[in-house]
Amino acid sequence: MEVRRHDRHDTTRAERGLLTAYWALSGYGLRASRALGWLLLAMTTTVVVMMLWGLPTDDPKPESTGKVTNQTIRLTTDTPAPVNPSGPLPERVSTKRFEKSLRVVVNSVIFRSSGQNLTTVGTYTEMGSRLTEPVLLGLAALAIRGRIKR
């Protein structure tokens, strides 16, 4: 793989890029510590982004309104859209927001939706982490499996 990664004549640029990423992320599936390090870095980055921009200011509370007409009651429940956090960044760092962010990130690693109302930034961050972080976890598992099987 190392020769293919450096060969500029017989391998395409896309294949060389894929091999370079495979080498950088997990040492060709031989370095579990490298894959786990990247996973830890990705999860930490996701937690910070969620804490600062991904979680809404307050949890939206459903509001119910109703009408009584003749003998019929009609209720409508509406959940307002999440409000983006505002104010200085240090004010957004709290243990409550950290715990919520951590819960969202851990759920995204194992392909579950957090069920948490998120801002637009938070939604896209969760989608990205649901794609990348399980891949890193899988690379680490393959490296560990390769070590045990030898």
Side-chain angles (χ1 to χ4, degrees), residues 108-124:
S108 70
V109 171
I110 55 175
F111 279 118
R112 287 184 45 215
S113 179
S114 64
Q116 177 74 35
N117 287 326
L118 301 172
T119 63
T120 305
V121 172
T123 301
Y124 286 115

Side-chain angles (χ1 to χ4, degrees), residues 47-83:
V47 166
V48 169
V49 169
M50 284 292 185
M51 233 171 37
L52 296 177
W53 301 287
L55 295 175
T57 305
D58 295 312
D59 290 329
K61 294 174 180 55
E63 296 175 1
S64 295
T65 57
K67 286 185 177 181
V68 177
T69 314
N70 295 334
Q71 294 292 343
T72 307
I73 298 175
R74 197 176 101 203
L75 290 175
T76 306
T77 302
D78 185 32
T79 303
V83 178

Side-chain angles (χ1 to χ4, degrees), residues 14-139:
E15 185 179 2
R16 283 195 315 269
L18 187 62
L19 286 170
T20 301
Y22 189 37
W23 169 78
L25 294 175
S26 68
Y28 301 119
L30 299 174
R31 306 264 185 245
S33 60
R34 191 180 295 180
L36 289 172
W38 279 109
L39 177 63
L40 184 64
L41 179 68
M43 288 178 70
T44 302
T45 302
T46 306
V47 166
V48 169
V49 169
M50 284 292 185
M51 233 171 37
L52 296 177
W53 301 287
L55 295 175
T57 305
D58 295 312
D59 290 329
K61 294 174 180 55
E63 296 175 1
S64 295
T65 57
K67 286 185 177 181
V68 177
T69 314
N70 295 334
Q71 294 292 343
T72 307
I73 298 175
R74 197 176 101 203
L75 290 175
T76 306
T77 302
D78 185 32
T79 303
V83 178
N84 288 329
S86 59
L89 295 179
E91 288 181 5
R92 299 181 204 170
V93 179
S94 67
T95 55
K96 182 179 176 184
R97 288 179 68 83
F98 173 77
E99 190 269 328
K100 278 186 178 181
S101 300
L102 188 62
R103 192 173 348 121
V104 168
V105 171
V106 170
N107 281 333
S108 70
V109 171
I110 55 175
F111 279 118
R112 287 184 45 215
S113 179
S114 64
Q116 177 74 35
N117 287 326
L118 301 172
T119 63
T120 305
V121 172
T123 301
Y124 286 115
T125 302
E126 184 185 32
M127 285 191 292
S129 70
R130 288 178 69 182
L131 176 67
T132 57
E133 292 168 3
V135 169
L136 294 170
L137 187 62
L139 288 173

Side-chain angles (χ1 to χ4, degrees), residues 5-25:
R5 184 168 69 95
H6 290 293
D7 184 14
R8 297 207 181 270
H9 300 292
D10 292 333
T11 56
T12 63
R13 181 178 290 188
E15 185 179 2
R16 283 195 315 269
L18 187 62
L19 286 170
T20 301
Y22 189 37
W23 169 78
L25 294 175

